[in-house]
Amino acid sequence: MILVTGGTGLVGSHLLFKLISNNENVRATYRREKTLKRVKHVFTYFSDDAENLFNKIEWIEADINDIPKLQNAFKGITYVYHCAAFVSFEPDKYKTLRKINIKGTANIVNLCISNKISKLCYVSSIAAIGHHNNPEKLIDEETAWNPEEDNSVYAITKYGAELEVWRGTQEGLDAVIVNPGIILGAGYWNGGSSGNLFKQIYKGMRYYVNGITGYIDVWDVVNAMHQLMESDIKNESFVLVSESLSFKTFQTKTANALHVKPPTIEAKSWLLKIAWRLDWLQHKFFGKRRNLSKQTAKSAVSITKYDNSKLKNALEFQFKSIDTSIKEITELFLKDLKQ
Ligand SMILES: NC(=O)c1ccc[n+]([C@@H]2O[C@H](COP(=O)([O-])OP(=O)(O)OC[C@H]3O[C@@H](n4cnc5c(N)ncnc54)[C@H](OP(=O)(O)O)[C@@H]3O)[C@@H](O)[C@H]2O)c1
């Protein structure tokens, strides 16, 4: 049997659909009953038999920091996909990020070892890979993480989680790590993760930024994870990026597909430097939630381009184009909007 952590998230729900459609026996973790509805809704996008497919999942309520519940979740499990994580770039959330992303992953790794799990797939992020000084040089799996950099709190904890997985491999666990770029997928329009990008662009964005980063369709993430788990590959990591694009290009293509006006004013580096300081002041004095940190402002204008050849060569993997991804997801967004 397969265990999926974070089954109610963007990646988890699509992975569950794939595994159940392949007739695998699957158990998945959730925390709150109400989040299960989102998974069912995602299933309806891709099947007329959504209810029936959803009912094939054995759901188990478990936080990844609740060891006794996790021990139950691991009973009879052979393969584990660890998708659960806290995605936040708010500096004030650092403690919670460490607890869920690093300690939670250590718990999963320890249970994989004690339950003699055949293989673990851990979903990391491109945030956990280093950068080059030369922005034109492609970043790949060998690009070293630099702890001296001003890394975001999210990146630090995703990197810390990877260390836990590598530690597990030293203790005999077989594992693969995937490092996706920004994951594009449907159904999580209001979530804190990447799903809400579509809603933000639909509502109208006045500013664009010229920073470049990696993007990937959620189905590519899920298919790559599944193929890596089915292969003999172990103790390796893989960059999952279909294309490296400027945020402006992504915003414009998405706005056009949603039939709304694309942003027209460039948020230059100096403007972002003022904006993150104002954001900090509003947080300190009025308790407003942080929307922009120093690190996210910096990454909004930084150029990071990724090399996806390791996965392409290892699995003869073909990535979906981001144009196709935007087309498919915006259609589902507009359909949901009408309902
Ligand atoms: N989205 C992206 O652009 C992106 C890019 C690169 C890497 N990633 C990585 O991909 C993975 C999946 O991300 P996603 O986009 O699917 O995020 P998501 O939609 O926010 O889903 C996160 C999942 O983790 C669960 N979770 C959070 N804290 C937990 C805890 N303490 N115990 C158990 N479950 C917990 C959530 O449960 P609830 O539903 O109960 O909150 C949810 O199922 C994460 O590891 C993330 O770091 C995401």
Side-chain angles (χ1 to χ4, degrees):
M1 190 171 210
I2 297 170
L3 177 67
V4 175
T5 70
T8 55
L10 173 67
V11 174
S13 60
H14 288 76
L15 176 65
L16 286 174
F17 184 84
K18 161 129 197 127
L19 296 174
I20 289 294
S21 305
N22 278 5
N23 286 319
E24 310 268 16
N25 283 331
V26 186
R27 185 179 294 150
T29 67
Y30 75 100
R31 293 188 295 176
R32 290 152 300 159
E33 204 71 42
K34 66 172 187 186
T35 58
L36 297 177
K37 270 198 305 203
R38 286 197 306 226
V39 182
K40 220 183 268 185
H41 186 63
V42 166
F43 280 26
T44 62
Y45 293 145
F46 311 110
S47 169
D48 294 332
D49 199 19
E51 184 82 26
N52 188 25
L53 290 175
F54 177 87
N55 289 336
K56 290 184 177 169
I57 302 166
E58 187 189 311
W59 287 100
I60 185 156
E61 188 255 301
D63 189 291
I64 53 169
N65 285 120
D66 186 334
I67 310 246
K69 282 188 180 163
L70 276 186
Q71 274 168 337
N72 265 341
F74 267 79
K75 280 189 186 141
I77 295 294
T78 314
Y79 292 95
V80 175
Y81 290 87
H82 177 32
C83 311
F86 180 35
V87 184
S88 169
F89 294 87
E90 292 178 71
D92 282 13
K93 298 282 189 318
Y94 187 48
K95 267 194 181 164
T96 314
L97 279 160
R98 287 193 72 91
K99 187 173 175 207
I100 298 176
N101 295 350
I102 304 181
K103 198 157 180 295
T105 301
N107 293 338
I108 298 294
V109 167
N110 293 340
L111 282 163
C112 283
I113 295 169
S114 59
N115 286 278
K116 300 191 170 41
I117 294 302
S118 299
K119 201 163 169 184
L120 163 72
C121 177
Y122 171 59
V123 191
S124 183
S125 164
I126 50 170
I129 312 179
H131 293 169
H132 296 300
N133 287 334
N134 173 2
E136 288 312 314
K137 197 167 168 204
L138 297 184
I139 295 167
D140 65 14
E141 294 79 0
E142 301 303 318
T143 311
W145 166 263
N146 181 0
E148 304 298 321
E149 281 261 323
D150 192 8
N151 296 299
S152 72
V153 284
Y154 172 69
I156 293 169
T157 62
K158 292 303 281 185
Y159 177 72
E162 281 199 12
L163 293 184
E164 290 297 337
V165 177
W166 294 132
R167 187 257 307 163
T169 63
Q170 294 296 309
E171 294 176 26
L173 173 66
D174 287 348
V176 284
I177 294 181
V178 292
N179 296 86
I182 294 180
I183 302 173
L184 305 177
Y188 287 74
W189 321 120
N190 299 313
S193 193
S194 54
N196 74 1
L197 279 173
F198 293 89
K199 189 169 182 187
Q200 281 182 28
I201 294 174
Y202 182 76
K203 275 168 45 188
M205 281 180 147
R206 288 173 65 204
Y207 293 94
Y208 65 83
V209 284
N210 270 324
I212 294 181
T213 191
Y215 293 80
I216 182 158
D217 188 272
V218 69
W219 287 117
D220 277 350
V221 175
V222 161
N223 289 331
M225 288 165 70
H226 187 243
Q227 286 179 40
L228 286 168
M229 285 293 260
E230 299 262 291
S231 74
D232 293 333
I233 296 168
K234 60 179 185 182
N235 308 344
E236 301 261 0
S237 66
F238 292 86
V239 165
L240 299 189
V241 164
S242 161
E243 292 170 40
S244 300
L245 293 177
S246 75
F247 197 57
K248 181 190 180 188
T249 306
F250 173 73
Q251 284 170 297
T252 307
K253 283 174 186 273
T254 305
N256 289 338
L258 290 170
H259 317 296
V260 296
K261 204 170 150 237
T264 49
I265 312 168
E266 182 180 356
K268 293 221 164 93
S269 179
W270 63 266
L271 190 62
L272 288 165
K273 280 181 188 159
I274 296 172
W276 78 253
R277 286 174 171 88
L278 285 175
D279 188 80
W280 180 81
L281 281 171
Q282 282 189 323
H283 171 71
K284 280 286 161 213
F285 293 107
F286 306 111
K288 284 189 87 173
R289 199 177 159 187
R290 292 294 299 273
N291 287 317
L292 191 67
S293 69
K294 184 182 172 196
Q295 294 77 19
T296 44
K298 202 174 105 194
S299 73
V301 286
S302 65
I303 305 217
T304 46
K305 297 183 182 172
Y306 293 86
D307 179 357
N308 60 13
S309 55
K310 184 173 173 188
L311 186 82
K312 272 186 181 163
N313 296 334
L315 300 176
E316 294 181 18
F317 197 87
Q318 291 191 341
F319 289 92
K320 191 189 274 189
S321 77
I322 296 303
D323 280 348
T324 307
S325 186
I326 289 173
K327 181 175 177 294
E328 291 173 359
I329 297 164
T330 51
E331 276 171 12
L332 293 172
F333 179 87
L334 293 172
K335 198 170 145 203
D336 273 354
L337 205 64
K338 278 195 201 140
Q339 283 169 1

